[in-house]
Amino acid sequence: EDGPGCLDCHSPEPDSPVHAIYDNVHGTLEGGGANACTACHGASEVHDRRGKRAAPDVSFGPRWPADLETRNGACVSCHASGDQLLWTGSAHQQEDMACTDCHTLHRASDPILDDRQATAFCGECHSQVRGELRLPSHHPIAEGELACGDCHNPHGSAGDAALRETSINDNCLGCHQEKRGPFLWEHEPVSEDCSLCHRSHGSVHDRLLVARGPALCQQCHSAAFHPSVPYGGESLGGNSGAYVVGKDCLNCHGQVHGSNHPSGARLTR
Amino acid sequence: ADDKTEEQAQADAQYQPLVPAGPAADPRWSDNSTGTVQLGAGYTSDDNFMFGQYNGLHNDGASLIGNLRWRSAAGGDSWWRASVDDLGLETREGEFTWGMADKLRLELGFDSSLQVRNDSGMTPFRGGSTLRLPDNWSGGASTGDWATLGDALHRFDRELARDKLSASISAALNEQWRLNASLSHEVKQGTGDIGGAFYIDAADGDAALLPLDVDYRTTEAEIGLSYSGSRLHLDGRLDYSGFDNSDDALYWDNPYNTSAGPGGIALAPDNEQYRGRLTGQFILTPEARLQFDGSYALASQDQDYLDWSANPGVLIVEDLPRNSYDGEVAIGTFNGKLLLRPLPRFEIEAFYRARERDYDAPRDGYRYPRGDSANQPASALSVYNTAYDYHSHSGGAEFAYRLPLRSRLSFEYEYEVVRRDNVAVRETEEDRYTLAYRIQPWRNFTARLEAEYADRSASRYRWDQRYYALLDVELINATPDNQRYINHPAFSQYYLSNREQWAGKLDLTWLPADTWNLNLNLSWRDDDYGASDLGVTESEWARAYASASWTPSADLSLSIYAGADSFESDQDGRAFRGGAEKNAFEIYPPLPQASDPSRDWSLAATDTSLTLGANLQWQVSEALALQADYNYVDTEGEQDLADAGAADLAPEDFPAVETRLHHFEAAATWQVNARLALRLDYQYYDYDSNDWSLRNVSVTSLDNVLTLGAQNPDEEIHYLGASAIYRWE
C-alpha cells in the first residue's frame, strides 16, 4: 500500500468528528485524503500497524497527547507567519497554551473564528475584562460588533497587551480617524495616550472615561479660573452647574480632542 | 512499555494550563450541511437606546431575522464560503471568501454597525451643518427668558451608523513569498452632539449643546509582502488611510441676546496618513530569536481655515497668519525582543520599545477674538500654536526559570524615559520591577502570583513652560514672574509627576473533578503621587473575580461568574483667582488666594461595580438545544468633597450615581428533521440609572447653558424572535 491507511480504520461515522476535517481547508493538505491526516499527525507508522495500541506520532489528545512543543509544532510548521509570526514569546505561549486549547480543527468551521464565540471564550480566562464589557459604557464587544481579536492578537505581538498595532493610539485611531489630526490646537494627552482619559473595555462613566467631569479635567487643569474651583453637589442647584451638568467642561470646550479653528486655542471652537 | 512510562513522566512534569473547554459550536450552524439559512421575525417591545445601543434593536416593533452560512462542498481544488448576519437590522454584516487551498484567497465583505445614544433630549435647532432657530425665536439673556423655546423644541435621534465595504486578496507567490492587499471604504453618518460657546469674557459665557451632523468617509488601502524562510520571517506593509469630513464647520444661530451670534466650530479636518510597517522574526539559533515590529507614519492635514469668527460683526484688523495649518506629524514606533533560552529551563527576554512623535508644522501667533462676540484683541494677546513632540524609550529584560512542581519564577526589570516638549515636565523616568511565580503543585491546581513595583521620577516641574510656549513675549514681559503660569505652581499633572506604584495579582485555578473548573482572580494596584501637593495624590484599584464552570458532558455546560471592582482616587485643588486670566496687563499683588492653603479642597471619588453572570448550553436531546445567558451589573459612583476652611468654599458631596442592569437571553432550537429546525429567542433587558447630571435637568435648568434636557434611562425591554433554520447538503 502506497499511502497511509488512516481511513481504513477511521471510517466516516455520524459520531466521529475525524472526517469533518475534509470540510475545511486542512482536509486538502498534502493532496488530501489520508495524507491530510499525516500532514499534522506525522507518518504514524506504528499507529498504522498497531491501531489503538500505539499513539500516532503527533497526537493532540485527549488520549496520548504529545508534548506541547510537538503539538504546537505541527501547527506552527505551516502557521509561522501572518498573525502567528510572533507566537514564540507571546503571553499565551509562555502560559504553555496549546493551539488546540482554543482551536478545533475537525469541524467545518472553527468556533473560535466566530467573533461572538471567541469573545465569550476569551472571557472564560480574562474574567476581569468580561466584567468590564458589561459596564454601562463599553465598546460593542459583548454585542459582537467588535471582537477581542480586532484590537489584540492572541498569538502575540512585540508590544504591550498583544495589541495588533504598535501603540495604543494607533489601535484606537484605526477606527477613530477623525481624532488623528494633527490639529492646529492639540490637547497634548490626546496625541500621547488615549488611555489617559479612556478605558478601552468599559467604564462606569459615559464615553468610557476613567473619571467623570469636571473632576477628570481638574486632574490636569488648575488655572486661575473655573478649573481651580471645587464643584460639588451644591453646584446642582445654581448656575455654577454649567460646569457639572450637560457635558460639564465640554459644554464650552467641546473640541477636547483638538481644534483646527484659528480661534480654537481653548478648544471651544 | 519503558518508553511509554518515560513519556508519561515527561508529560507529568510539564505545566498544563487549566483552561476551560474550547468554545462550543453555535447549534444553528451544523457541520453536516453545506448551507444553512435562518429566517424569521423578531419583536422588540419598546423604543430604547440602552438595550439597542449597539445591537440594532432600538426601535419597537417587528424586525427581520436573517442569517446565512453557505460553503462549497468538500473535495474540490477551490473552495468558497459566504455568510450574512443580522440581515434585517442596521447591524448587518456579510462576507464572501473564495480560495484555492493555501495559494490564493479573496475576500469581499460589508459591515454595518449602529450606535444609538440617549435620544430623550430636545433641541430648538434645525438643520445640518448650519443650525437655525425658528424665525419667531425670541431671545433673551438666559434660557428661562426664551418665550418661544417650548414650541421650538423637538426630539432628535443621536445615532451614528458605520457602513464599511472591504476587499482583500492574499496570494502565495511561492513557498516563501506571499502577497497581501486590502482596500476598504467606510462611511460614518448620523447625528452626535457638541457643546458650543459664546462669550465676550469667558467668566460670563453662554453655551448650547448642539446636534452635530456627522458625515465622514475613510478610505484605507494596504499592500504587503511577507517572506517566510527557515530562519527569517518578514512581513512588510505599506498602508494609506484617508479621512474625509464632508462638513468643514458647524454654524449655529445664537439663542442668547447677551452676545452677538452666530457661532461656528471647525469640525475634524480632512487628514491622511501614509505608513510603512515591518514585522519580523529572525531565528538566530534554536535557542535565540529576534523579533521586531516597527512602523513609520506621516500624518498630515491641510484643511483650509475658517474665518476668525462666524460673526461678521466682530471687528477684525489683522488677517489670519496663514490660510491652512499645513501640518505634518511623523510617528515612529519600534518594538523589539530578543528571546534567549541559554539553558533548557532558563529563558531570557530582552526588549526595547520606542515611540516618537515629531511635528513639522508652522508656528504662528493667532490674534483670535475670544468667543464669537468680542472684537479682535491686542496683538500682544496672540496665542501661539505649539508642537508637543513626544519621545518615549523603554528597555529591559525578563528572566524566567522553570522550577520543580511545574513552577516558573520570573523577574522583569524595565526602564522607561519619556521626553516631551512644551509641557510642564520635560522628562520622566521610570523603573519597574515585576516578580511573578506560577506553580502547579497538583495536576488539577494552578496558582499564579505577581508583584510589581514602579517608581517614576519627573524632572523639575516647569509650571511656567506652557505659559511661555503659548503666549506672546509682550504679554510674558508684562506679567510678574510669579504669575507666569497657567496651572498653579503647586499643581502636578498626574501623568507627568512623580509616582510610586505597587501592584499585585493572585490567580487560582482548581479542577476538583474533570468536569469542574473553578477560578479566583484578585488584583490590586496603588498609585501614590506623594510629591504632588495639588492634583491627583493617590488612586487605588481593587478587583476580585470568581468563576465556575461545570461541563459534565459534551452536551451540557454551565458557568457562573461574579466580579467586584473598586476604584478610588483622591485629588486636591486650590481655589484661587487672579493672574493673567482676568486681565493680562494688570499687575496684581502676588495672588493671595493662590498662596493660601485654607483655600485647598479635596475630592475623593469611588467607583464600584458588581457583575454577576451565568451561562447555560444544553443539548437536551438530539432534537432540542437550549442556551441561556444572564448578566447582572450594579455600579455606583461617589464623589465626596471637602475643603480646608475658606469661608466661601463649602463644596457638598455629589449624590451617588447608580446604574442597574438585568439582562437575560435564552434560545431554544428544535430540530424538526434533518433539514429543518425551529428556534425561539427571548431577551429581557432591564436598565436604569439615576445620574444627577440628567436627573431633573431640563433644557432651561441652567441660565447660561442650553442643555438637551435628556432623562435618565429607565428601560424594561422584551425581545422575542421566532425563526426557521433550513439546512441543505
Side-chain angles (χ1 to χ4, degrees):
Chain A
E1 191 176 335
D2 291 337
C6 311
L7 303 180
D8 297 342
C9 297
H10 295 281
S11 54
E13 294 170 11
D15 294 338
S16 168
V18 169
H19 283 257
I21 196 80
Y22 298 111
D23 291 329
N24 69 51
V25 69
H26 292 94
T28 64
L29 291 175
E30 305 291 345
N35 288 325
C37 307
T38 56
C40 296
H41 293 280
S44 305
E45 291 172 357
V46 178
H47 176 68
D48 198 2
R49 289 196 307 271
R50 301 180 64 192
K52 294 180 179 178
R53 289 173 295 169
D57 291 353
V58 181
S59 171
F60 297 88
R63 192 181 182 191
W64 302 319
D67 67 72
L68 182 66
E69 288 194 17
T70 302
R71 279 180 283 152
N72 284 356
C75 306
V76 172
S77 63
C78 292
H79 297 281
S81 58
D83 273 3
Q84 296 80 27
L85 176 58
L86 303 181
W87 166 253
T88 301
S90 69
H92 285 158
Q93 189 263 344
Q94 297 214 16
E95 187 53 27
D96 288 350
M97 287 187 68
C99 304
T100 50
D101 286 337
C102 300
H103 293 281
T104 308
L105 263 65
H106 287 268
R107 284 190 59 91
S109 58
D110 183 356
I112 200 74
L113 300 183
D114 179 285
D115 285 351
R116 291 180 199 219
Q117 288 170 275
T119 296
F121 186 62
C122 297
E124 293 285 340
C125 293
H126 300 277
S127 54
Q128 297 185 346
V129 176
R130 174 167 58 178
E132 289 176 296
L133 299 183
R134 300 284 179 176
L135 292 177
S137 177
H138 57 267
H139 271 120
I141 301 167
E143 290 84 352
E145 294 298 308
L146 286 176
C148 305
D150 288 337
C151 296
H152 303 278
N153 183 348
H155 305 102
S157 77
D160 284 334
L163 289 177
R164 286 197 174 273
E165 296 294 340
T166 49
S167 73
I168 190 165
N169 275 28
D170 284 342
N171 244 60
C172 303
L173 295 173
C175 291
H176 302 282
Q177 297 93 346
E178 75 277 10
K179 297 176 176 63
R180 184 164 53 203
F183 295 96
L184 168 62
W185 307 106
E186 298 231 320
H187 189 194
E188 59 269 30
V190 174
S191 53
E192 178 172 333
D193 185 347
C194 303
S195 67
L196 290 172
C197 294
H198 298 281
R199 292 214 164 100
S200 52
H201 298 125
S203 169
V204 301
H205 303 296
D206 198 20
R207 300 190 187 258
L208 293 159
L209 289 172
V210 298
R212 65 181 297 152
L216 173 63
C217 304
Q218 290 178 314
Q219 290 181 353
C220 288
H221 296 280
S222 177
F225 194 44
H226 48 254
S228 72
V229 177
Y231 295 105
E234 81 289 348
S235 300
L236 297 174
N239 208 41
S240 57
Y243 304 115
V244 298
V245 302
K247 295 171 78 78
D248 51 79
C249 302
L250 275 59
N251 286 339
C252 296
H253 301 278
Q255 299 283 54
V256 71
H257 293 107
S259 170
N260 210 54
H261 196 296
S263 303
R266 290 173 189 267
L267 306 181
T268 55
R269 285 181 287 195
Chain B
D2 290 345
D3 289 346
K4 190 175 177 182
T5 304
E6 188 177 329
E7 284 175 10
Q8 191 64 44
Q10 284 182 351
D12 285 346
Q14 288 182 342
Y15 172 86
Q16 287 182 9
L18 305 178
V19 296
D26 191 322
R28 289 177 297 177
W29 319 124
S30 163
D31 270 1
N32 299 324
S33 56
T34 55
T36 305
V37 64
Q38 180 186 16
L39 283 173
Y43 179 80
T44 306
S45 64
D46 206 352
D47 286 337
N48 64 83
F49 54 83
M50 289 301 292
F51 170 61
Q53 185 177 11
Y54 293 116
N55 64 15
L57 299 172
H58 56 292
N59 290 325
D60 70 342
S63 56
L64 172 72
I65 295 173
N67 297 296
L68 171 74
R69 294 287 185 280
W70 197 2
R71 62 180 169 85
S72 58
D77 291 335
S78 64
W79 56 271
W80 58 266
R81 62 171 181 254
S83 66
V84 175
D85 287 292
D86 291 348
L87 180 64
L89 303 174
E90 291 172 87
T91 52
R92 64 185 65 86
E93 62 181 309
E95 188 175 70
F96 175 79
T97 308
W98 178 85
M100 289 181 63
D102 195 33
K103 296 173 185 168
L104 181 63
R105 175 180 292 213
L106 293 168
E107 290 185 6
L108 300 172
F110 69 91
D111 187 359
S112 298
S113 62
L114 180 72
Q115 181 190 27
V116 298
R117 299 184 65 82
N118 190 328
D119 62 0
S120 62
M122 293 188 285
T123 180
F125 293 101
R126 272 94 171 142
S129 58
T130 299
L131 297 171
R132 296 292 186 204
L133 292 166
D135 292 339
N136 65 343
W137 181 258
S138 64
S142 66
T143 55
D145 299 335
W146 301 341
T148 55
L149 175 63
D151 292 337
L153 288 174
H154 65 99
R155 294 276 290 269
F156 70 104
D157 290 333
R158 293 200 298 160
E159 298 179 2
L160 293 173
R162 289 176 183 258
D163 294 291
K164 186 174 188 175
L165 297 173
S166 60
S168 67
I169 182 171
S170 176
L173 304 179
N174 57 39
E175 286 192 1
Q176 278 83 39
W177 291 91
R178 175 171 283 273
L179 179 71
N180 304 289
S182 66
L183 178 67
S184 70
H185 182 72
E186 183 183 80
V187 177
K188 183 177 179 183
Q189 291 178 312
T191 305
D193 58 272
I194 192 168
F198 314 82
Y199 53 88
I200 299 172
D201 179 345
D204 189 22
D206 300 318
L209 300 190
L210 308 165
L212 172 65
D213 202 30
V214 172
D215 192 0
Y216 302 156
R217 281 161 181 76
T218 303
T219 302
E220 297 190 315
E222 178 181 285
I223 186 164
L225 197 59
S226 63
Y227 170 80
S228 189
S230 59
R231 296 172 64 190
L232 177 65
H233 300 268
L234 289 174
D235 186 0
R237 280 164 280 176
L238 295 173
D239 63 58
Y240 164 80
S241 173
F243 170 78
D244 173 33
N245 189 349
S246 297
D247 297 318
D248 300 338
L250 175 67
Y251 296 106
W252 69 95
D253 290 344
N254 183 355
Y256 298 88
N257 64 8
T258 48
S259 51
I265 289 177
L267 300 180
D270 297 350
N271 65 72
E272 58 184 11
Q273 176 175 283
Y274 293 88
R275 184 178 70 155
R277 182 174 175 184
L278 184 65
T279 310
Q281 174 171 257
F282 183 56
I283 302 174
L284 302 164
T285 70
E287 287 78 33
R289 62 181 67 202
L290 180 67
Q291 298 179 342
F292 52 90
D293 188 4
S295 67
Y296 183 77
L298 288 174
S300 61
Q301 66 98 350
D302 194 18
Q303 178 82 48
D304 286 347
Y305 282 157
L306 304 180
D307 293 333
W308 284 117
S309 173
N311 180 5
V314 169
L315 178 62
I316 301 295
V317 295
E318 184 178 304
D319 289 339
L320 290 165
R322 52 197 307 112
N323 294 323
S324 64
Y325 179 47
D326 194 13
E328 183 177 88
V329 60
I331 305 146
T333 60
F334 180 81
N335 297 320
K337 292 183 195 174
L338 177 63
L339 305 169
L340 303 169
R341 186 153 65 174
L343 298 169
R345 290 174 168 271
F346 183 43
E347 296 167 347
I348 301 173
E349 177 186 315
F351 58 88
Y352 169 71
R353 299 179 191 129
R355 180 171 169 239
E356 300 200 339
R357 187 175 168 90
D358 292 298
Y359 289 80
D360 179 9
R363 175 175 158 85
D364 298 292
Y366 287 80
R367 187 180 166 186
Y368 73 92
R370 276 48 171 169
D372 279 308
S373 301
N375 294 329
Q376 197 169 34
S379 61
L381 290 177
S382 295
V383 176
Y384 289 77
N385 65 297
T386 304
Y388 298 105
D389 290 354
Y390 173 89
H391 296 171
S392 162
H393 300 266
S394 67
E398 182 195 60
F399 306 90
Y401 198 84
R402 292 179 188 253
L403 297 161
L405 292 177
R406 296 174 285 264
S407 64
R408 181 180 190 266
L409 178 67
S410 66
F411 171 76
E412 180 181 304
Y413 169 74
E414 179 181 0
Y415 169 77
E416 181 185 51
V417 59
V418 182
R419 296 189 180 91
R420 303 167 175 88
D421 285 350
N422 296 315
V423 297
V425 171
R426 168 74 177 146
E427 181 176 290
T428 55
E429 294 178 279
E430 185 165 61
D431 297 292
R432 182 175 295 274
Y433 309 86
T434 307
L435 185 65
Y437 184 61
R438 181 188 75 192
I439 185 168
Q440 192 170 58
W442 309 286
R443 178 56 69 200
N444 65 344
F445 180 81
T446 301
R448 274 177 291 188
L449 183 66
E450 185 177 301
E452 189 173 279
Y453 171 75
D455 187 9
R456 184 174 72 195
S457 63
S459 59
R460 188 167 64 89
Y461 201 89
R462 300 161 68 193
W463 40 265
D464 50 1
Q465 186 57 32
R466 291 200 75 229
Y467 192 85
Y468 291 134
L470 290 170
L471 302 176
D472 191 88
V473 65
E474 188 181 347
L475 176 62
I476 294 169
N477 289 335
T479 307
D481 288 349
N482 64 358
Q483 295 179 30
R484 288 175 185 166
Y485 57 83
I486 289 176
N487 269 340
H488 191 284
F491 185 88
S492 296
Q493 292 165 294
Y494 75 96
Y495 73 101
L496 300 174
S497 58
N498 294 300
R499 179 187 67 183
E500 264 194 305
Q501 183 178 82
W502 285 96
K505 296 178 188 172
L506 174 67
D507 186 279
L508 304 174
T509 303
W510 180 38
L511 274 59
D514 288 344
T515 55
W516 281 92
N517 186 313
L518 307 178
N519 177 258
L520 176 67
N521 185 287
L522 307 173
S523 64
W524 167 83
R525 194 185 81 193
D526 181 78
D527 293 343
D528 184 359
Y529 305 88
S532 297
D533 295 324
L534 301 176
V536 178
T537 55
E538 186 166 13
S539 66
E540 184 178 21
W541 198 351
R543 321 185 73 183
Y545 280 76
S547 63
S549 63
W550 179 54
T551 312
S553 72
D555 294 332
L556 176 63
S557 70
L558 175 66
S559 66
I560 57 173
Y561 76 93
D565 275 54
S566 171
F567 180 77
E568 299 177 19
S569 72
D570 296 324
Q571 65 185 88
D572 295 338
R574 180 169 297 169
F576 65 104
R577 296 277 183 180
E581 291 281 354
K582 299 301 293 178
N583 184 332
F585 294 99
E586 182 174 342
I587 305 301
Y588 287 84
L591 295 178
Q593 288 189 338
S595 55
D596 179 1
S598 75
R599 303 196 59 76
D600 284 357
W601 56 271
S602 62
L603 168 66
T606 304
D607 300 323
T608 58
S609 63
L610 172 68
T611 54
L612 304 171
N615 181 273
L616 170 72
Q617 308 269 341
W618 187 14
Q619 186 72 44
V620 181
S621 68
E622 202 168 298
L624 181 63
L626 297 178
Q627 296 166 275
D629 193 74
Y630 171 72
N631 286 281
Y632 171 75
V633 183
D634 184 323
T635 74
E636 183 171 285
E638 292 183 341
Q639 289 182 290
D640 297 336
L641 286 109
D643 64 87
D648 60 331
L649 298 179
E652 297 174 10
D653 297 344
F654 278 111
V657 177
E658 297 163 326
T659 71
R660 303 274 186 284
L661 167 70
H662 298 271
H663 190 188
F664 175 71
E665 299 175 78
T669 307
W670 177 41
Q671 196 68 44
V672 180
N673 56 44
R675 295 196 166 202
L676 181 66
L678 301 176
R679 180 176 168 105
L680 277 179
D681 285 276
Y682 172 73
Q683 292 191 57
Y684 171 73
Y685 184 92
D686 182 9
Y687 179 87
D688 64 83
S689 72
N690 66 346
D691 190 334
W692 43 257
S693 72
L694 297 177
R695 190 171 54 206
N696 301 322
V697 176
S698 72
V699 291
T700 57
S701 289
L702 302 175
D703 289 346
N704 297 102
V705 179
L706 174 67
T707 72
L708 301 177
Q711 303 301 305
N712 274 299
D714 184 4
E715 297 180 356
E716 187 170 353
I717 305 295
H718 300 270
Y719 169 81
L720 187 63
S723 56
I725 299 169
Y726 182 77
R727 296 174 181 137
W728 64 93
E729 297 297 328

